[in-house]
Amino acid sequence: MALMLPEVSINHASTSSSHQRLGICLLLLGLLSAIALLVWMHQQDTARQQLEGEMQRMQAPTSTVRLSPKESQLQQQEMAAVRAAINDLALPWQSLFMTLENIPASDIRIAAIEPNARLGKLKLTANAADIVQMFAYVNALSEQDIFSDVVLVSHEYHPGQDMPVQFVVEAIWGNQ
């Protein structure tokens, strides 16, 4: 009688239920990630389309508004005033003040500086102790490179004051 050995089954590809659960969980996690990515891409595309629409609206020519002649004239006057203010701000103030400060004139007091950007002129009102100092100062101004056509416009004598001679000088002002 032959002895019978029990039958042995070897299965190297075990299909335990824990491995199946892990695989299903990973599959579901991947699907959820893919869905979330698709939703995010859709939101980004919608935002991009909105921005492109806004950009096209901003670049589109705007309709012109018809102004009455009075309104048009007022707008032109406002624009001219803005241009004048910009021209005044663009003047070479630093070089002007440095030039005026470097002129040797200890007995001259500058009372007012009035630039006119439109005409390129500078009007200077000052006081001096005497006429000789006034003429020396006018001569010193005319020797400066920043000024041309320096002219003594007027002068007045007021006796009894500390600086009795008041005078006005005009010059063409610009970088030359």
Side-chain angles (χ1 to χ4, degrees), residues 48-176:
R48 182 189 53 80
Q49 288 175 354
Q50 287 176 347
L51 288 174
E52 284 178 354
E54 286 181 34
M55 189 171 67
Q56 287 176 353
R57 266 186 270 126
M58 288 179 181
Q59 291 176 346
T62 58
S63 61
T64 57
V65 177
R66 298 279 183 195
L67 298 177
S68 68
K70 186 176 183 180
E71 291 173 330
S72 177
Q73 183 180 9
L74 180 62
Q75 186 180 26
Q76 288 177 355
Q77 289 173 348
E78 288 175 357
M79 288 173 57
V82 168
R83 281 190 205 103
I86 289 172
N87 286 340
D88 286 346
L89 292 174
L91 293 174
W93 290 105
Q94 186 68 26
S95 61
L96 170 70
F97 290 130
M98 291 300 291
T99 300
L100 292 175
E101 288 174 1
N102 290 331
I103 295 175
S106 61
D107 291 336
I108 301 291
R109 292 188 191 141
I110 298 175
I113 300 172
E114 301 173 41
N116 185 334
R118 188 175 52 82
L119 298 176
K121 285 190 175 185
L122 175 74
K123 183 177 178 182
L124 188 71
T125 304
N127 297 317
D130 59 40
I131 299 286
V132 173
Q133 290 175 352
M134 176 189 71
F135 282 121
Y137 188 74
V138 172
N139 188 39
L141 280 174
S142 66
E143 291 174 356
Q144 302 303 312
D145 292 337
I146 196 171
F147 301 122
S148 63
D149 297 330
V150 177
V151 176
L152 177 65
V153 176
S154 67
H155 67 282
E156 297 176 5
Y157 184 76
H158 302 281
Q161 294 182 358
D162 184 34
M163 303 289 264
V165 179
Q166 182 179 30
F167 60 99
V168 177
V169 178
E170 281 188 359
I172 302 296
W173 176 31
N175 295 326
Q176 298 173 352

Side-chain angles (χ1 to χ4, degrees), residues 23-34:
I24 290 173
C25 287
L26 288 175
L27 178 64
L28 289 176
L29 184 63
L31 288 173
L32 288 174
S33 297

